[in-house]
Amino acid sequence: MATILNIETATKNCSVSLSKGENILAIKELNEGKFSHSEKLHSFILDVMRSTDISLKDLDAIAISKGPGSYTGLRIGVSTAKGLCYALDIPLISVPTLEIVARQISLDADELVVPLLDARRMEVYSGVFDHNYDQIRGTEAEIIEASSFGAFLKKGNVYFAGDGAEKCKNIITHANARFVDSIYPSAKEMPLVSSKKFRSREFEDLAYFEPFYLKDFIAGKPKQYFK
């Protein structure tokens, strides 16, 4: 079984886990309502490794949550993962961020989950997954309207999950809509995907891999101060 370091920094949750196969050996994460990845990520990696008898040289691969999500958060996570992979000469595995959210919801065979990550204003990053966590609609950046996901809601229960679900509660009012807004992407769900990808040797090109931003980064205007 492969020993994999899993890193999730796509949202405000800074999360790191160490896994062997699909089993988590150690995990550390913090969601304090702000982006602290540049301060916390490297110390979290060291803490996770120190809590076991496994050293960095024992790793078989590193898995990174690839997005969509925060531009800065993704850059920090990916650059850290790539640097470690290069130094240790091990492969890089990418895991879709929306799938990490979807896997936190238990579904019956006729139910669906729509992971929603908060973007700007009424916009979210979203996808649609079935009970096997196969993505049945592509990832999009969209503005939520009353008719959003209507075709899926007509067929049965749809769970809207993630930090973007809160802004949808008063807009999507269909009887089949269920909202779970208290979850974030976490490295806890990554081993199920990263171990499978390791077995099938689905590795990224270390030199050319980039996060899945979905949207171009737009810098805000600097504040102007007047005396």
Side-chain angles (χ1 to χ4, degrees), residues 153-222:
L153 287 161
K154 290 177 181 177
K155 298 177 181 179
N157 291 338
V158 178
Y159 288 84
F160 296 91
D163 67 349
E166 176 66 31
K167 64 174 61 174
C168 303
K169 285 183 177 178
N170 296 325
I171 300 175
I172 300 176
T173 58
H174 196 283
N176 289 334
R178 307 286 186 268
F179 295 93
V180 186
D181 57 12
S182 58
I183 62 176
Y184 286 80
S186 169
K188 185 178 180 180
E189 278 70 41
M190 292 179 67
L192 289 170
V193 183
S194 60
S195 62
K196 181 180 178 180
K197 286 196 168 189
F198 185 89
R199 291 193 300 270
S200 60
R201 303 189 66 79
E202 294 181 53
F203 303 141
E204 301 295 341
D205 186 314
L206 196 57
Y208 296 102
F209 176 75
E210 291 290 335
F212 178 37
Y213 295 119
L214 191 59
K215 292 173 59 178
D216 293 332
F217 174 67
I218 301 175
K221 290 184 178 180

Side-chain angles (χ1 to χ4, degrees), residues 8 94 147 194:
E8 162 57 63
S94 68
S147 60
S194 60

Side-chain angles (χ1 to χ4, degrees), residues 122-141:
M122 286 310 299
E123 194 169 27
V124 295
Y125 301 127
S126 69
V128 181
F129 292 76
D130 65 16
H131 71 286
N132 292 317
Y133 307 109
D134 292 325
Q135 190 163 358
I136 62 173
R137 197 218 70 182
T139 302
E140 297 180 7

